[in-house]
Amino acid sequence: MLINREVLSLPPYISTSWGHIKALYMLEETLVVCLTDGILIKIPNLPTSILEKIFEMHSVYLTEQTQQITNRQRKGELEGLSRLEIPFRIGLGSIENMMMTALQHNQAQADMPDMPPEILSKITSIARAITPDDVAQFPKPEPHCNCMFCQLARAMHGMTVDKQPEKIPEKPVEKEEPPASPWVVHQHQENCYHVHHKESPNEIYNVFLGEGQVGCNCGKHGCDHILAVLRS
């Protein structure tokens, strides 16, 4: 007789690893062992101490298997992130193009309210991470403008905005509604997002935004998928 974390051996009824056992239960005074192939093994008249040890070892095995599955899932997620080809550095020209496309200065948004500090801090940390040596060359904000681009540029340069009294424009400026984004963004994990086009829901891109690390598994720098996540 052998009962441990790996093996259940009760001659002459059964001798196998716990991996081949699907479940255990009692039928009156008989222990029933359900194998993964559907076979039932009935073992009668086992002492209480032996039954307790059998169920204890089965519980230990199930707990360890659950933990191993969880660890493999976490490892797979980390390996998936590593295949995003990050970290990579985007040159000054690329970051300028990306910012001008995604967050370009917009005078029509000059009176935009301040972005929440946590959102502005996250966007700023990403921008600093991908251009750590070129902050001085980052575009300067427009005076007295509080559009999204100028808020980011001001934070990048450590500047504070000089609030001026609100001026009533001579002619009202018509604000154009931004076009609806064709991309759908879902946060998968912290700093990890799933992005797909509305017309191609099965074609999913993985975007990672972290301090010092920005990437997309499409392999393109400053791609539409990264911009979609930044806009969201």
Side-chain angles (χ1 to χ4, degrees), residues 17 20 63 65 77 92 114 123 127 139 147 164 184 200 203 224:
S17 64
H20 294 146
T63 301
Q65 287 298 302
E77 291 169 355
L92 178 62
D114 293 341
I123 297 176
C147 72
Q164 297 293 324
V184 178
S200 302
E203 186 176 348
D224 290 341

Side-chain angles (χ1 to χ4, degrees), residues 25-213:
Y25 65 90
M26 295 297 299
L27 185 62
E28 296 181 351
E29 300 298 324
T30 299
L31 173 66
V32 181
V33 181
C34 302
L35 301 183
T36 55
D37 59 5
I39 296 176
L40 301 181
I41 307 295
K42 298 181 180 180
I43 308 173
N45 303 321
L46 287 173
T48 301
S49 60
I50 298 299
L51 289 172
E52 290 177 351
K53 186 172 183 179
I54 291 173
F55 278 94
E56 178 186 358
M57 288 298 100
H58 189 226
S59 176
V60 169
Y61 171 79
L62 293 177
T63 301
E64 292 177 347
Q65 287 298 302
T66 301
Q67 185 61 47
Q68 290 176 10
I69 292 173
T70 301
N71 292 339
R72 285 196 296 268
Q73 289 175 342
R74 290 176 179 173
K75 182 179 179 181
E77 291 169 355
L78 292 175
E79 290 176 348
L81 291 178
S82 69
R83 288 193 291 271
L84 295 179
E85 299 180 0
I86 54 177
F88 64 86
R89 288 172 57 90
I90 301 178
L92 178 62
S94 297
I95 186 62
E96 284 183 344
N97 293 335
M98 184 178 73
M99 289 302 177
M100 291 303 293
T101 300
L103 302 174
Q104 62 182 345
H105 170 67
N106 188 343
Q107 187 62 38
Q109 297 178 353
D111 297 325
M112 176 181 175
D114 293 341
M115 287 188 288
E118 62 274 10
I119 295 179
L120 181 60
S121 175
K122 185 172 184 179
I123 297 176
T124 303
S125 65
I126 295 171
R128 287 183 181 276
I130 58 182
T131 57
D133 301 324
D134 301 311
V135 174
Q137 301 181 43
F138 194 86
K140 299 293 193 299
E142 295 293 328
H144 317 311
C145 179
N146 209 43
C147 72
M148 187 178 296
F149 177 82
C150 289
Q151 289 189 52
L152 173 60
R154 200 170 289 115
M156 287 285 291
H157 292 286
M159 302 165 61
T160 57
V161 62
D162 183 15
K163 296 290 185 179
Q164 297 293 324
E166 183 178 358
K167 296 181 180 179
I168 301 176
E170 295 180 359
K171 295 182 180 180
V173 178
E174 296 183 2
K175 297 183 178 181
E176 298 180 359
E177 291 293 331
S181 173
W183 299 101
V184 178
V185 178
H186 296 288
Q187 184 167 7
H188 177 55
Q189 293 178 340
E190 183 178 2
N191 298 329
C192 187
Y193 302 82
H194 285 172
V195 181
H196 71 266
H197 198 280
K198 291 180 179 179
E199 297 181 359
S200 302
N202 295 326
E203 186 176 348
I204 300 175
Y205 299 91
N206 296 318
V207 174
F208 182 83
L209 299 181
E211 294 185 4
Q213 297 180 333

